[in-house]
Amino acid sequence: MENSSQSAQVPNGGENSRPIDKLTGFEVNERFERLSQKLDVFNRASWDEGIRSAKVREFFESYFTDLAKFRPVEGFTHRDFALRNASWYVADFTADMFEATDDRKEGFLDTYTMLRPGASVPPPEQTPERNASDVKRAAKFLGADLVGICELDERWVYTHNFSRMKLEEKPLALPEGLGWVVVIANEMDRGAIETVPSALSGSATGQGYSRDIIALLSLTAFIQNLGYRAVASLNDTALSIPLAIQAGLGEYGRHGLLITREFGPRVRIAKIFTDMPLVADKPASFGVRQFCEVCGKCARSCPPKAIPFGDPEEGPLTISNLKGVRKWTVEPEKCFKFWTNQGTDCSICIRVCPYNKDYSKLVYRIGRWLSGTGLRKLMAWLDDLLGYGKRRSPKSWWGRS
Amino acid sequence: MENSSQSAQVPNGGENSRPIDKLTGFEVNERFERLSQKLDVFNRASWDEGIRSAKVREFFESYFTDLAKFRPVEGFTHRDFALRNASWYVADFTADMFEATDDRKEGFLDTYTMLRPGASVPPPEQTPERNASDVKRAAKFLGADLVGICELDERWVYTHNFSRMKLEEKPLALPEGLGWVVVIANEMDRGAIETVPSALSGSATGQGYSRDIIALLSLTAFIQNLGYRAVASLNDTALSIPLAIQAGLGEYGRHGLLITREFGPRVRIAKIFTDMPLVADKPASFGVRQFCEVCGKCARSCPPKAIPFGDPEEGPLTISNLKGVRKWTVEPEKCFKFWTNQGTDCSICIRVCPYNKDYSKLVYRIGRWLSGTGLRKLMAWLDDLLGYGKRRSPKSWWGRS
């Protein structure tokens, strides 16, 4: 694993590979095909007999119904589910508001971002450099923990959106000419994630998305107010993770998640497509790829064994995976089945990841640096030895009561 | 002013006074009358010829229109207004969504909080103590910077709501039996407030309300999910400041604003009315009343002289003020006229207030403590001498671009 300089050597994938792949580590070959949103495992739950079941329906309904699923097990009690569903409240009402009228769902938020007219023309002083600087300043102010910029890379854009009403593909709603992507990410609560498996830990997911949405909608309004076109997007329209990596927000981990310097894998991502002239950030490595090669803690800790143990391989493993990309690939079917069995989403791979640390503390910043050196194997071993990533009692999260 | 022990002596106001007034410092007498929302200066702008003008209409429209009002003056440029309006985005779309169908506006958010059914009955383990502890834990998690609890005090509840469609009073929509109030407050951005007067500083107001709304809606959903009734409210239905003080969030300042220990006057408030059995917090003093008596910096700094210089007096000064309460009372007409003249809201009194400090720093926590001692006059003098509260250049807020 020390000869992992291979991660810098990306074979030529013909017309499907791009220079930026050398920096992101994705190896894209001639068999590459863009994905349709229909194949996302959450959308498959609505039409694919292999996924869809009474349990799956129950799972989705538990987010809206009278908390019928809570049980007298710590972390899955009434108040745990009450908080989990409350944390999704903002995400839900924004995602659902235009479902009936526009057949839109799962975060395609352009309907909101078109509620107010923006400015008709941008001011002359707005250069690409100043736009990039202003949009980042505004993003932080409006509630984004992380922000980065990349050029639109069509490879990660879905071929089609999916209609949950008609259960069929529909044309992609993204307008032409939006050549830039502003990617934001928001931290998920560390304490709640520590309690996974629990309904309580699902609150960190909902709260992460709700925080994303507020920053996303406001920032989109800012860009429009400056006089440009902008479309807000959550998990629809394009794959967020490769765009986030290209925008310099972090690296790709064995568990298939974005690993950021600031919060490790403990983030939720959103993005804005815009025609605002910008300056792209560069993908930045701090040694995640090589660390994941020697660590494998997430793969060992995943109850349904949905995370691969070996080297990055060419997918797909299932129809939900990208074709013709060599990378670590999780099996979403195993993953999602585990969620539905326990009645809430799972974040065990986030909890146990050695990059899930509180980096406001110097000792962890030093640890992060060492994990990017030849000592990475020792660091992975120490992480286990010192008991990091263990589950915390949900009751203790709630405090004295 | 050193003999200000009078602030603890609240004369008996007959049936209008309450024991808690001894702790909050409000002196309520037999002439007290509850206010109607119609008399709020923002609502008066829609019906009162003394307030309403072309400039006022322009002022409100500038938040939604094509930024026609920006000008080539630092702090009032296109990007400053673009950010100000973006920061209001979430507050606007939640407040406006039911304006046309339900004649609701200005933050009465019960329509949202009724979108999802809560639980039908609370779990038996939820005692008032545990409810109070859980609701505070959930509030912090869901994005509230501060949270406190008080009993409903009808004196601060409006007699009527106001219909902006019909320009007349309408019955108060608050259901019976909601005997508790959970009050939350969110910090406004310090850097943006430093730039006031500017359109940029108005972004701190919008962002404060947007953050309030997210925490408010989610927390209301949490209470409902636990099995209780809960109604979310922003600036409608009741006066937020006396409720916030009764809930222990801070003290009343000369500028008529809540002064919190954590952020001084730099907060926006929201509240939830609920029948969830709770335990009330106590109003807590850290010497604000006595400090405001000797300071008066806000009164000296207010361009339209809307803030009083002298001792607390019995109102009202205008129809927007409470009758029969002895306290510092601002003149909302002068205040609001200044806003409309400059085309955005003003927060100069927040900027200059000696309690507007970054209390994460030890030196300011020491200063806050000294301001509550016999050295308060020296502290007020030092605050001026050291140049605190000066305006910062909006350009520097935006950074290098």
Side-chain angles (χ1 to χ4, degrees), chain B residues 311-348:
Chain B
D311 287 334
E313 288 186 20
E314 184 182 330
L317 290 170
T318 81
I319 58 166
S320 291
N321 303 128
L322 275 172
K323 285 188 183 69
V325 182
R326 185 159 175 262
K327 63 179 185 65
W328 284 302
T329 297
V330 302
E331 287 186 67
E333 296 170 7
K334 288 183 182 170
C335 174
F336 187 56
K337 192 170 178 187
F338 183 75
W339 292 19
T340 55
N341 279 338
Q342 72 163 8
T344 191
D345 61 326
C346 170
S347 303
I348 289 176

Short mmCIF file of all heavy atoms in Angstrom, two decimals, chain B residues 311-348:
data_model
loop_
_atom_site.label_atom_id
_atom_site.label_comp_id
_atom_site.label_asym_id
_atom_site.label_seq_id
_atom_site.Cartn_x
_atom_site.Cartn_y
_atom_site.Cartn_z
N ASP B 311 -34.63 59.06 32.38
CA ASP B 311 -35.04 57.86 33.12
C ASP B 311 -36.21 57.19 32.41
O ASP B 311 -36.89 57.80 31.59
CB ASP B 311 -35.49 58.27 34.54
CG ASP B 311 -34.31 58.66 35.40
OD1 ASP B 311 -33.19 58.16 35.13
OD2 ASP B 311 -34.49 59.47 36.33
N PRO B 312 -36.45 55.93 32.75
CA PRO B 312 -37.64 55.26 32.23
C PRO B 312 -38.89 56.07 32.58
O PRO B 312 -38.99 56.59 33.69
CB PRO B 312 -37.63 53.92 32.97
CG PRO B 312 -36.20 53.69 33.32
CD PRO B 312 -35.63 55.05 33.58
N GLU B 313 -39.79 56.19 31.64
CA GLU B 313 -41.02 56.95 31.89
C GLU B 313 -42.24 56.17 31.44
O GLU B 313 -42.13 55.22 30.68
CB GLU B 313 -40.96 58.29 31.14
CG GLU B 313 -39.97 59.24 31.79
CD GLU B 313 -40.00 60.61 31.16
OE1 GLU B 313 -41.02 60.95 30.50
OE2 GLU B 313 -39.02 61.34 31.31
N GLU B 314 -43.37 56.62 31.90
CA GLU B 314 -44.59 55.93 31.50
C GLU B 314 -44.98 56.35 30.09
O GLU B 314 -45.03 57.54 29.78
CB GLU B 314 -45.72 56.25 32.49
CG GLU B 314 -46.98 55.47 32.15
CD GLU B 314 -48.13 55.82 33.08
OE1 GLU B 314 -47.87 56.17 34.25
OE2 GLU B 314 -49.28 55.72 32.63
N GLY B 315 -45.26 55.37 29.25
CA GLY B 315 -45.69 55.64 27.89
C GLY B 315 -47.18 55.88 27.88
O GLY B 315 -47.81 55.94 28.92
N PRO B 316 -47.76 56.05 26.70
CA PRO B 316 -47.08 55.97 25.41
C PRO B 316 -46.62 57.33 24.90
O PRO B 316 -47.17 58.37 25.28
CB PRO B 316 -48.19 55.45 24.50
CG PRO B 316 -49.45 56.06 25.06
CD PRO B 316 -49.23 56.16 26.54
N LEU B 317 -45.59 57.29 24.07
CA LEU B 317 -45.19 58.48 23.33
C LEU B 317 -45.97 58.58 22.04
O LEU B 317 -46.27 59.65 21.55
CB LEU B 317 -43.70 58.40 22.99
CG LEU B 317 -42.72 58.55 24.16
CD1 LEU B 317 -41.31 58.20 23.71
CD2 LEU B 317 -42.77 59.99 24.68
N THR B 318 -46.28 57.43 21.46
CA THR B 318 -47.06 57.35 20.23
C THR B 318 -48.04 56.20 20.37
O THR B 318 -47.94 55.40 21.30
CB THR B 318 -46.16 57.07 19.00
OG1 THR B 318 -45.89 55.66 18.96
CG2 THR B 318 -44.84 57.82 19.07
N ILE B 319 -48.95 56.07 19.41
CA ILE B 319 -49.94 54.98 19.53
C ILE B 319 -49.31 53.61 19.39
O ILE B 319 -49.94 52.60 19.71
CB ILE B 319 -51.08 55.13 18.49
CG1 ILE B 319 -50.53 55.15 17.06
CG2 ILE B 319 -51.93 56.36 18.78
CD1 ILE B 319 -51.61 54.95 16.00
N SER B 320 -48.07 53.52 18.92
CA SER B 320 -47.42 52.21 18.80
C SER B 320 -46.85 51.71 20.13
O SER B 320 -46.45 50.56 20.22
CB SER B 320 -46.29 52.27 17.77
OG SER B 320 -46.80 52.43 16.47
N ASN B 321 -46.78 52.58 21.11
CA ASN B 321 -46.21 52.18 22.40
C ASN B 321 -47.27 51.65 23.35
O ASN B 321 -48.44 51.98 23.24
CB ASN B 321 -45.51 53.37 23.07
CG ASN B 321 -44.43 53.99 22.23
OD1 ASN B 321 -44.43 55.19 22.01
ND2 ASN B 321 -43.53 53.18 21.72
N LEU B 322 -46.81 50.86 24.32
CA LEU B 322 -47.69 50.34 25.36
C LEU B 322 -48.14 51.46 26.29
O LEU B 322 -47.35 52.32 26.67
CB LEU B 322 -46.95 49.30 26.20
CG LEU B 322 -46.91 47.86 25.69
CD1 LEU B 322 -45.96 47.05 26.56
CD2 LEU B 322 -48.31 47.24 25.71
N LYS B 323 -49.39 51.40 26.70
CA LYS B 323 -49.92 52.34 27.68
C LYS B 323 -49.67 51.79 29.07
O LYS B 323 -49.79 50.60 29.31
CB LYS B 323 -51.43 52.50 27.50
CG LYS B 323 -51.87 53.31 26.31
CD LYS B 323 -53.39 53.53 26.37
CE LYS B 323 -53.88 54.28 25.15
NZ LYS B 323 -53.80 53.47 23.92
N GLY B 324 -49.36 52.69 30.02
CA GLY B 324 -49.32 52.30 31.43
C GLY B 324 -48.16 51.39 31.81
O GLY B 324 -48.29 50.57 32.71
N VAL B 325 -47.03 51.52 31.11
CA VAL B 325 -45.82 50.78 31.51
C VAL B 325 -44.68 51.77 31.60
O VAL B 325 -44.42 52.52 30.65
CB VAL B 325 -45.47 49.67 30.48
CG1 VAL B 325 -44.24 48.90 30.96
CG2 VAL B 325 -46.63 48.72 30.27
N ARG B 326 -44.03 51.82 32.76
CA ARG B 326 -42.89 52.71 32.93
C ARG B 326 -41.63 51.99 32.49
O ARG B 326 -41.24 50.98 33.07
CB ARG B 326 -42.78 53.14 34.39
CG ARG B 326 -41.71 54.17 34.64
CD ARG B 326 -41.93 54.96 35.92
NE ARG B 326 -40.79 55.85 36.12
CZ ARG B 326 -39.76 55.55 36.92
NH1 ARG B 326 -39.76 54.46 37.64
NH2 ARG B 326 -38.73 56.39 37.01
N LYS B 327 -41.02 52.47 31.43
CA LYS B 327 -39.81 51.85 30.86
C LYS B 327 -39.24 52.84 29.85
O LYS B 327 -39.87 53.83 29.50
CB LYS B 327 -40.17 50.54 30.16
CG LYS B 327 -41.12 50.72 28.95
CD LYS B 327 -41.41 49.41 28.28
CE LYS B 327 -42.25 49.57 27.03
NZ LYS B 327 -41.64 50.29 25.91
N TRP B 328 -38.01 52.57 29.38
CA TRP B 328 -37.50 53.39 28.28
C TRP B 328 -38.33 53.08 27.05
O TRP B 328 -38.56 51.91 26.71
CB TRP B 328 -36.04 53.04 28.01
CG TRP B 328 -35.11 53.61 29.03
CD1 TRP B 328 -34.97 54.93 29.36
CD2 TRP B 328 -34.17 52.91 29.86
NE1 TRP B 328 -34.01 55.09 30.34
CE2 TRP B 328 -33.51 53.86 30.65
CE3 TRP B 328 -33.84 51.57 30.01
CZ2 TRP B 328 -32.52 53.52 31.58
CZ3 TRP B 328 -32.86 51.22 30.92
CH2 TRP B 328 -32.22 52.19 31.70
N THR B 329 -38.75 54.09 26.37
CA THR B 329 -39.64 53.89 25.23
C THR B 329 -39.11 54.65 24.02
O THR B 329 -38.89 55.86 24.10
CB THR B 329 -41.06 54.39 25.58
OG1 THR B 329 -41.56 53.60 26.67
CG2 THR B 329 -41.99 54.24 24.40
N VAL B 330 -38.91 53.94 22.92
CA VAL B 330 -38.42 54.61 21.71
C VAL B 330 -39.61 55.13 20.90
O VAL B 330 -40.74 54.69 21.08
CB VAL B 330 -37.58 53.66 20.83
CG1 VAL B 330 -36.38 53.12 21.59
CG2 VAL B 330 -38.42 52.54 20.27
N GLU B 331 -39.31 56.06 20.02
CA GLU B 331 -40.35 56.59 19.14
C GLU B 331 -40.24 55.89 17.79
O GLU B 331 -39.41 56.26 16.96
CB GLU B 331 -40.19 58.09 18.97
CG GLU B 331 -40.59 58.87 20.21
CD GLU B 331 -40.56 60.38 19.97
OE1 GLU B 331 -41.39 60.88 19.18
OE2 GLU B 331 -39.71 61.04 20.57
N PRO B 332 -41.08 54.89 17.56
CA PRO B 332 -40.96 54.09 16.34
C PRO B 332 -41.15 54.92 15.07
O PRO B 332 -40.61 54.57 14.03
CB PRO B 332 -42.04 53.02 16.48
CG PRO B 332 -42.97 53.52 17.53
CD PRO B 332 -42.17 54.41 18.42
N GLU B 333 -41.88 56.01 15.18
CA GLU B 333 -42.12 56.81 13.98
C GLU B 333 -40.83 57.46 13.48
O GLU B 333 -40.52 57.45 12.29
CB GLU B 333 -43.19 57.86 14.25
CG GLU B 333 -44.52 57.19 14.57
CD GLU B 333 -45.56 58.19 15.07
OE1 GLU B 333 -45.30 59.40 15.04
OE2 GLU B 333 -46.64 57.73 15.50
N LYS B 334 -40.09 58.04 14.42
CA LYS B 334 -38.80 58.64 14.05
C LYS B 334 -37.85 57.58 13.52
O LYS B 334 -37.13 57.79 12.54
CB LYS B 334 -38.17 59.32 15.27
CG LYS B 334 -38.83 60.59 15.72
CD LYS B 334 -38.05 61.18 16.90
CE LYS B 334 -38.71 62.46 17.43
NZ LYS B 334 -38.09 62.88 18.71
N CYS B 335 -37.82 56.46 14.22
CA CYS B 335 -36.93 55.35 13.86
C CYS B 335 -37.22 54.86 12.43
O CYS B 335 -36.33 54.79 11.58
CB CYS B 335 -37.12 54.22 14.87
SG CYS B 335 -36.24 52.69 14.51
N PHE B 336 -38.49 54.56 12.18
CA PHE B 336 -38.86 53.98 10.90
C PHE B 336 -38.70 54.97 9.76
O PHE B 336 -38.35 54.60 8.64
CB PHE B 336 -40.31 53.47 10.97
CG PHE B 336 -40.76 52.71 9.76
CD1 PHE B 336 -40.04 51.60 9.31
CD2 PHE B 336 -41.87 53.09 9.05
CE1 PHE B 336 -40.45 50.89 8.19
CE2 PHE B 336 -42.29 52.39 7.92
CZ PHE B 336 -41.58 51.29 7.49
N LYS B 337 -38.93 56.25 10.04
CA LYS B 337 -38.76 57.27 9.01
C LYS B 337 -37.30 57.31 8.55
O LYS B 337 -37.01 57.49 7.37
CB LYS B 337 -39.19 58.63 9.55
CG LYS B 337 -39.33 59.67 8.46
CD LYS B 337 -39.99 60.94 8.96
CE LYS B 337 -40.06 61.96 7.82
NZ LYS B 337 -40.54 63.26 8.30
N PHE B 338 -36.40 57.15 9.52
CA PHE B 338 -34.98 57.13 9.17
C PHE B 338 -34.66 55.95 8.26
O PHE B 338 -33.91 56.07 7.30
CB PHE B 338 -34.14 57.09 10.44
CG PHE B 338 -32.66 57.14 10.18
CD1 PHE B 338 -32.04 58.33 9.80
CD2 PHE B 338 -31.88 56.00 10.29
CE1 PHE B 338 -30.68 58.38 9.53
CE2 PHE B 338 -30.51 56.04 10.02
CZ PHE B 338 -29.92 57.24 9.65
N TRP B 339 -35.27 54.80 8.54
CA TRP B 339 -35.08 53.63 7.69
C TRP B 339 -35.49 53.92 6.25
O TRP B 339 -34.77 53.62 5.31
CB TRP B 339 -35.93 52.45 8.15
CG TRP B 339 -35.57 51.82 9.44
CD1 TRP B 339 -34.82 52.34 10.45
CD2 TRP B 339 -35.97 50.52 9.87
NE1 TRP B 339 -34.74 51.45 11.49
CE2 TRP B 339 -35.43 50.32 11.16
CE3 TRP B 339 -36.73 49.51 9.30
CZ2 TRP B 339 -35.64 49.14 11.87
CZ3 TRP B 339 -36.94 48.34 10.00
CH2 TRP B 339 -36.39 48.16 11.27
N THR B 340 -36.69 54.45 6.12
CA THR B 340 -37.22 54.64 4.77
C THR B 340 -36.41 55.70 4.04
O THR B 340 -36.21 55.61 2.83
CB THR B 340 -38.71 55.02 4.80
OG1 THR B 340 -38.88 56.17 5.62
CG2 THR B 340 -39.53 53.88 5.37
N ASN B 341 -35.90 56.68 4.76
CA ASN B 341 -35.08 57.71 4.10
C ASN B 341 -33.78 57.14 3.54
O ASN B 341 -33.32 57.55 2.49
CB ASN B 341 -34.77 58.86 5.06
CG ASN B 341 -35.93 59.82 5.16
OD1 ASN B 341 -36.78 59.89 4.26
ND2 ASN B 341 -35.99 60.57 6.25
N GLN B 342 -33.20 56.18 4.27
CA GLN B 342 -31.95 55.63 3.77
C GLN B 342 -32.13 54.36 2.95
O GLN B 342 -31.18 53.83 2.41
CB GLN B 342 -30.94 55.40 4.90
CG GLN B 342 -31.25 54.25 5.81
CD GLN B 342 -30.04 53.81 6.63
OE1 GLN B 342 -29.00 54.47 6.63
NE2 GLN B 342 -30.16 52.69 7.31
N GLY B 343 -33.36 53.86 2.86
CA GLY B 343 -33.63 52.74 1.98
C GLY B 343 -33.32 51.36 2.54
O GLY B 343 -33.37 50.37 1.82
N THR B 344 -32.99 51.27 3.78
CA THR B 344 -32.81 49.97 4.42
C THR B 344 -32.93 50.14 5.92
O THR B 344 -32.94 51.28 6.42
CB THR B 344 -31.45 49.34 4.04
OG1 THR B 344 -31.43 47.97 4.47
CG2 THR B 344 -30.28 50.07 4.68
N ASP B 345 -33.04 49.04 6.65
CA ASP B 345 -33.20 49.16 8.09
C ASP B 345 -31.91 49.65 8.74
O ASP B 345 -30.82 49.51 8.19
CB ASP B 345 -33.66 47.84 8.71
CG ASP B 345 -32.68 46.71 8.50
OD1 ASP B 345 -32.02 46.67 7.43
OD2 ASP B 345 -32.54 45.86 9.39
N CYS B 346 -32.04 50.22 9.91
CA CYS B 346 -30.89 50.80 10.63
C CYS B 346 -30.65 49.97 11.88
O CYS B 346 -31.58 49.54 12.53
CB CYS B 346 -31.21 52.24 11.01
SG CYS B 346 -30.01 52.98 12.13
N SER B 347 -29.39 49.76 12.22
CA SER B 347 -29.06 49.07 13.47
C SER B 347 -27.95 49.81 14.20
O SER B 347 -27.12 49.19 14.88
CB SER B 347 -28.60 47.63 13.17
OG SER B 347 -29.58 46.91 12.47
N ILE B 348 -27.91 51.13 14.06
CA ILE B 348 -26.84 51.89 14.71
C ILE B 348 -26.84 51.66 16.22
O ILE B 348 -25.80 51.50 16.85
CB ILE B 348 -26.95 53.39 14.36
CG1 ILE B 348 -26.57 53.62 12.88
CG2 ILE B 348 -26.04 54.23 15.28
CD1 ILE B 348 -26.73 55.05 12.39
#
